Amino acid sequence: MHIVRGRATEDRPTKKRTKTFTGDAWADPLMPQTADGDTISSVTFTPGSRTYWHTHTGGQILIVTAGLGWVCAEGSPPEVIRAGDIVWTPPGERHWHGGTRTTIMTHVGISIGPTNWLEAVEDEDYHAPPAIHDG
Ligand code: MN
């Protein structure tokens, strides 16, 4: 067992994520990465920002703690997520997550095993769920 105390301090500044994110996203690790590559981070996506496409070796749990965002699994349209929602992404599923074009979204991400980063999410793939018209 290993207890990690709250880590927010002024001498440990929040990091802006750049290499595998589009736009401005900010991340605070909540726990040091384990030897197996597991991580827990709180990530805040500003409007328009999102991850690149990626997979998680052992899957990922997202706990949306504030705001409104989009999450998308490859082959399906994006879906709205908001504070209180939980997203389970199984191992190996290609996906992305982020704010919407106009809103911030913050989630705690619990990633099991290493994350495999892929290409950027193009603007045409970054959009709200299509409207449902039922006649
Ligand atoms: Mn993910």
Side-chain angles (χ1 to χ4, degrees):
M1 179 178 288
H2 179 78
I3 297 174
V4 178
R5 304 296 178 187
R7 287 161 55 84
T9 65
E10 289 181 346
D11 61 358
R12 187 182 288 120
T14 303
K15 288 183 181 158
K16 192 171 180 179
R17 297 293 301 266
T18 52
K19 284 182 183 169
T20 56
F21 288 65
T22 298
D24 292 340
W26 297 81
D28 280 313
L30 303 183
M31 179 185 79
Q33 182 171 313
T34 69
D36 293 329
D38 308 326
T39 61
I40 305 178
S41 294
S42 178
V43 185
T44 295
F45 296 88
T46 63
S49 70
R50 66 272 192 182
T51 67
Y52 281 21
W53 288 100
H54 62 284
T55 64
H56 301 283
T57 303
Q60 183 185 51
I61 297 161
L62 300 179
I63 304 167
V64 183
T65 53
L68 183 73
W70 293 330
V71 64
C72 182
E74 188 177 46
S76 300
E79 295 201 53
V80 170
I81 50 176
R82 61 187 78 235
D85 290 347
I86 305 291
V87 180
W88 163 245
T89 299
E93 182 172 80
R94 279 173 54 102
H95 70 288
W96 57 264
H97 26 110
T100 75
R101 291 188 191 281
T102 55
T103 61
I104 283 172
M105 187 272 286
T106 300
H107 66 49
V108 172
I110 303 170
S111 302
I112 310 302
T115 297
N116 309 300
W117 292 104
L118 304 164
E119 69 275 17
V121 177
E122 300 297 338
D123 284 342
E124 60 263 33
D125 294 326
Y126 176 70
H127 58 77
I132 296 171
H133 300 284
D134 55 4

